[in-house]
Amino acid sequence: MVTVNEFPVLETERLILRKINDTDVGSIFKYLSDPEVMKYYGLEPFKSIDDAQGEIAWYHSILKEQTGIRWGITLKGTDEIIGSCGFLNTVSNHYRTDIGFELSKEFWGQGIASEAINAIIQYAFEHMNIQRIQALIEPLNSASQRMVEKAGFLQEGLLRKYEYTCGKFDDLYMYGLLKEDYDK
């Protein structure tokens, strides 16, 4: 791990996870305007660069407020953001956080998202004083369910009509990973 301007830059075998900046707005817009990428994101596909700028502003605000952190996923040797992953809804006094992630469709099925989330899970348990990481996943999002299960998360239950997004109520599975159950 390298820290650049107090933001932890994480490196894996194939990836560099780094801070997302305003210059990344085009890359963010490219994949967050794709209906397939946004299917389970809880927002409508982005329609303008302004939407992507708002997303980047949100990433910066959660970092500043210490309620989360979001990394841009880049392939080594390139600097283009192809997805993001990170934590949100961090509750320090309860030592827990929620994990979130998405990846440009052209990179699906290559193990990139798994590689990225494993890196941030390790970072959370080793550097963020976290005991529990939660993942809230829609029942039809089987790819994300398989990915978090592979990372060691256990399905803990179904939260019925837990969120209201995109004009509908969504059920969400609650997955949890505890520090003592994590196997690097």
Side-chain angles (χ1 to χ4, degrees):
M1 173 190 67
V2 178
T3 302
V4 176
N5 295 332
E6 302 304 315
F7 189 93
V9 176
L10 308 179
E11 185 174 338
T12 69
E13 183 180 334
R14 300 180 291 170
L15 309 173
I16 301 290
L17 307 180
R18 65 164 176 85
K19 185 175 186 178
I20 298 171
N21 300 302
D22 292 335
T23 56
D24 298 312
V25 70
S27 300
I28 299 290
F29 178 70
K30 180 181 172 184
Y31 66 82
L32 292 182
S33 62
D34 184 329
E36 286 186 70
V37 172
M38 297 300 280
K39 187 172 183 178
Y40 302 113
Y41 197 77
L43 296 173
E44 295 290 342
F46 288 8
K47 302 209 181 322
S48 72
I49 288 290
D50 287 344
D51 293 338
Q53 287 171 329
E55 187 77 356
I56 293 170
W58 177 70
Y59 298 157
H60 293 175
S61 73
I62 63 172
L63 183 63
K64 183 179 178 184
E65 296 164 7
Q66 299 183 353
T67 60
I69 185 170
R70 196 77 171 198
W71 285 269
I73 302 170
T74 66
L75 297 172
K76 282 186 176 174
T78 72
D79 197 42
E80 182 181 359
I81 299 289
I82 60 169
S84 78
C85 59
F87 303 109
L88 62 152
N89 301 324
T90 301
V91 184
S92 298
N93 61 324
H94 293 296
Y95 305 92
R96 75 169 181 254
T97 193
D98 295 350
I99 195 168
F101 46 87
E102 81 286 326
L103 189 64
S104 178
K105 182 174 54 185
E106 64 192 276
F107 297 98
W108 289 0
Q110 300 174 35
I112 291 170
S114 289
E115 191 172 324
I117 70 160
N118 284 323
I120 68 169
I121 289 168
Q122 183 174 349
Y123 179 82
F125 287 144
E126 292 179 2
H127 300 284
M128 291 177 59
N129 201 22
I130 295 293
Q131 290 296 312
R132 175 185 170 82
I133 301 172
Q134 304 175 157
L136 298 166
I137 302 174
E138 290 186 34
L140 294 177
N141 190 350
S142 57
S144 289
Q145 291 172 44
R146 283 191 306 273
M147 188 171 61
V148 298
E149 288 169 357
K150 185 178 171 188
F153 285 76
L154 298 176
Q155 188 183 107
E156 298 175 335
L158 178 68
L159 303 170
R160 299 179 312 142
K161 297 192 186 304
Y162 188 75
E163 282 185 338
Y164 184 79
T165 60
C166 303
K168 64 181 177 29
F169 288 99
D170 293 319
D171 294 342
L172 296 175
Y173 283 128
M174 170 65 79
Y175 283 84
L177 177 63
L178 304 180
K179 184 175 185 177
E180 59 264 26
D181 296 336
Y182 178 63
D183 182 21
K184 298 179 220 177

